[in-house]
Amino acid sequence: MKLVVVGGVAGGASAAARVRRLDPSAEIVVFDRGDYVSYSNCSLPYYLGGVVQDDRSLIMMTPESFRKSHDIDVRVRREVTAIDREKKEVSVINLNTGEEYKEPYDKLVLSPGASPIMPASIKGIFGDNVFSVRTVNDVVRIKNAITSGKGKKTAVIGGGFVGIEVAENLAKAGQEVTLVEGLDQILQPFDYDMVQMLHKEMDDNGVKLYLSTLLKEIKSDSIVVEHDGETFEIETDNVVVAIGVKPETDLAKACGLEIGVTGGIKVNHYMQTSDPDIYAVGDAVEQPNFFTGKPGRLAMAGPAQRQARAAADHMYGRENHMKGFIGSCCIRVFGLNAAATGLNEKACQKEGIDYDYVIIFPSDKVGIMPNANYMGFKLIFEKPSGRILGAQAIGKGEADKRVDVIAAMITMGATLEDLKELELCYAPLFSTAKDVVNFAALVGLNVMNGDIKQVHLRDVRELVESGAYIIDVREENEFEIGHIKGAHNIPQSEIRQRLREIPKDRPVYLHCRSSQRSYYCLCALKGRGFDNVVNIQGSFLGISLYEYFNDKTLGREPIVDNYNFN
């Protein structure tokens, strides 16, 4: 068999390598129009900050190493310009010499990836001081610009994963960084209540965030943006545009392959296109969502490699059952690690799913251990089944570890009951005996079964401004350091002796630092006839993290007297 692959990064290179493992006699040719193949595109931003010090380290394999290690013929600077499905051949142009020729195939894999969106409607977007991030050459150009004395200010346009990674690394490289995002938050897989921790972290590290702000024009020394109907300029020397990507489908369209509703190449669960001899993998394809079955696109290396394996296996009669994507992702934002999987609230609402969620802030390891820190964890579940729908974790510790557990549970169709009983590794240096994810399941079951009532973080401001009766059950010294305005301090150690102070004719809202002590107090009060008690989700730590950034940037009156993030 002769396999031709178009695109030599994650998906294309993986498909070629898998076919070689399955068939030592196959003829395999890989075309890529760029200078490199098999480079770590996910690592590109980290070259800017010096985490990856040599741009050559970004290149995993060369054409020569592909030939020596795998007997694969990799040809760079070769652009495939057309596909003749009847003759089963592709048209190729050598970008070095201009030579054009045909290459026959038995099976064809398309892995063209996705290209950065650069709206031509934005004046100046193709200027010399404007960059995108897709290839090794792109980040080398950015690095040269910031190290050659061409200014110390960079504006990053777009608050997705690439934009945030670029912003962080440029800040670490000594740049004054401004980040402009059109929506009201960065990193859309995270819900608004959780992402406030990341807004604060970026602000704490000197990145100026402009949210709900649109880019209108790029000049040589500034950008023109619009926020809330007001247009103004922000000084900057260089601009990195990272507002998203679009699938490269021109080849597929031109030869008549079916394109899906999302604009990606339509494939079946074997990764076959509408032509059974042509497969497609990676950022250019659409696949079904695991939960809804609806088509979507996920531009990530992990799914691309699994798709590549599925395509190669099918060529050789091997069964492969792609279940669709659940959208697991993770990122470091300065000192915080963040991860998410499955559905967030926005997705649940869009699909009309009846859901609820809990947010907790437990310790990520035993508190007396070195480097023990809180971990913000949000668990989303279906009602009334308790089926786990998604999770988000943010903290200094292993957020990805916790979310990976949830991703596995989602894939297996697990419920809160299953997660409650899940046996995980434990030692004081790694976690607590009741791990974050077990803890979240228990709280979720309490909420779903009606054992406790909770109020969400987003509703606390309204409670405070309306004069609701709020009890802070932390000890007096903790309360004095910082507290919700108007809250009554009745410590857990005194609450049974001060029952007469607590009203029964109106809702009473309890909180502590992380909701654990307030839950104990809620149980004690319920046992003494108080049926009007409600636990504040996330408690004082969650409220501080939720309110801080917006209080600072919007200039609104804080509802807390001294924030406390410990």
Side-chain angles (χ1 to χ4, degrees), residues 191-207:
D191 283 318
Y192 187 80
D193 45 18
M194 292 293 287
V195 85
Q196 300 308 321
M197 288 182 267
L198 302 180
H199 288 167
K200 176 183 181 299
E201 184 70 7
M202 295 195 73
D203 184 72
D204 287 349
N205 283 276
V207 176

Side-chain angles (χ1 to χ4, degrees), residues 433-508:
K434 186 187 298 175
D435 189 72
V436 172
V437 297
N438 302 120
F439 191 6
L442 291 167
V443 177
L445 285 168
N446 284 339
V447 169
M448 189 176 71
N449 295 333
D451 295 329
I452 63 171
K453 298 176 184 178
Q454 67 171 355
V455 61
H456 296 308
L457 284 174
R458 61 175 176 245
D459 299 321
V460 175
R461 173 170 285 275
E462 182 179 348
L463 292 179
V464 175
E465 292 175 345
S466 65
Y469 196 92
I470 298 173
I471 299 177
D472 186 331
V473 304
R474 295 176 298 160
E475 296 303 310
E476 184 177 352
N477 64 314
E478 296 176 89
F479 182 83
E480 291 176 352
I481 292 173
H483 57 268
I484 295 176
K485 293 180 179 179
H488 305 265
N489 184 213
I490 306 179
Q492 179 190 5
S493 58
E494 302 176 14
I495 201 161
R496 291 171 178 81
Q497 291 76 45
R498 299 173 61 178
L499 295 177
R500 292 183 179 179
E501 300 177 34
I502 304 172
K504 286 189 174 183
D505 59 349
R506 59 187 294 197
V508 173

Side-chain angles (χ1 to χ4, degrees), residues 101-300:
Y101 61 96
K102 309 289 187 182
E103 190 77 32
Y105 66 84
D106 295 312
K107 300 291 183 182
L108 177 65
V109 173
L110 300 179
S111 183
S115 57
I117 296 173
M118 303 287 284
S121 59
I122 297 176
K123 186 178 179 180
I125 199 163
F126 300 114
D128 293 338
N129 65 330
V130 183
F131 307 89
S132 60
V133 179
R134 186 187 186 188
T135 68
V136 175
N137 289 338
D138 290 336
V139 291
V140 170
R141 286 180 61 231
I142 298 172
K143 187 72 169 281
N144 289 341
I146 66 173
T147 58
S148 62
K150 294 182 180 179
K152 297 288 290 182
K153 298 179 179 179
T154 300
V156 178
I157 313 301
F161 285 84
V162 173
I164 299 304
E165 290 168 346
V166 167
E168 175 188 342
N169 280 278
L170 288 175
K172 290 185 174 181
Q175 289 283 297
E176 297 177 33
V177 180
T178 296
L179 189 138
V180 176
E181 167 57 48
L183 299 175
D184 62 355
Q185 69 166 81
I186 61 173
L187 298 173
Q188 295 306 306
F190 295 86
D191 283 318
Y192 187 80
D193 45 18
M194 292 293 287
V195 85
Q196 300 308 321
M197 288 182 267
L198 302 180
H199 288 167
K200 176 183 181 299
E201 184 70 7
M202 295 195 73
D203 184 72
D204 287 349
N205 283 276
V207 176
K208 179 66 174 177
L209 288 180
Y210 287 87
L211 303 175
S212 302
T213 302
L214 299 175
L215 175 67
K216 309 301 289 186
E217 181 181 350
I218 300 174
K219 299 182 178 181
S220 60
D221 58 358
S222 69
I223 56 174
V224 180
V225 299
E226 180 184 334
H227 172 76
D228 198 21
E230 178 188 358
T231 300
F232 56 95
E233 292 191 28
I234 301 171
E235 290 186 4
T236 190
D237 302 299
N238 297 296
V239 180
V240 179
V241 179
I243 60 176
V245 296
K246 58 182 178 181
E248 295 220 4
T249 58
D250 290 347
L251 269 177
K253 289 178 181 177
C255 73
L257 296 180
E258 187 174 354
I259 303 299
V261 295
T262 68
I265 303 171
K266 189 171 183 178
V267 293
N268 61 20
H269 64 285
Y270 300 124
M271 307 313 297
Q272 283 175 301
T273 68
S274 52
D275 184 325
D277 290 322
I278 302 178
Y279 296 76
V281 300
D283 298 353
V285 307
E286 69 173 24
Q287 278 205 293
N289 182 284
F290 175 85
F291 294 96
T292 68
K294 295 180 179 179
R297 291 187 287 110
L298 190 66
M300 298 181 71

Side-chain angles (χ1 to χ4, degrees), residues 306-375:
R306 293 196 299 276
Q307 293 163 10
R309 185 183 181 94
D313 282 358
H314 186 255
M315 294 177 199
Y316 289 87
R318 291 174 173 247
E319 284 294 317
N320 203 302
H321 300 283
M322 301 290 290
K323 296 182 178 181
F325 62 87
I326 60 175
S328 300
C329 56
C330 60
I331 189 172
R332 185 192 70 186
V333 181
F334 292 99
L336 293 179
N337 301 315
T341 191
L343 301 178
N344 58 20
E345 281 198 78
K346 294 183 289 288
C348 289
Q349 292 164 6
K350 181 180 179 181
E351 297 300 328
I353 296 173
D354 189 9
Y355 75 96
D356 205 344
Y357 65 92
V358 295
I359 295 178
I360 59 174
F361 287 86
S363 179
D364 58 7
K365 54 180 69 68
V366 172
I368 60 175
M369 291 294 108
N371 301 318
N373 292 285
Y374 73 81
M375 178 163 291

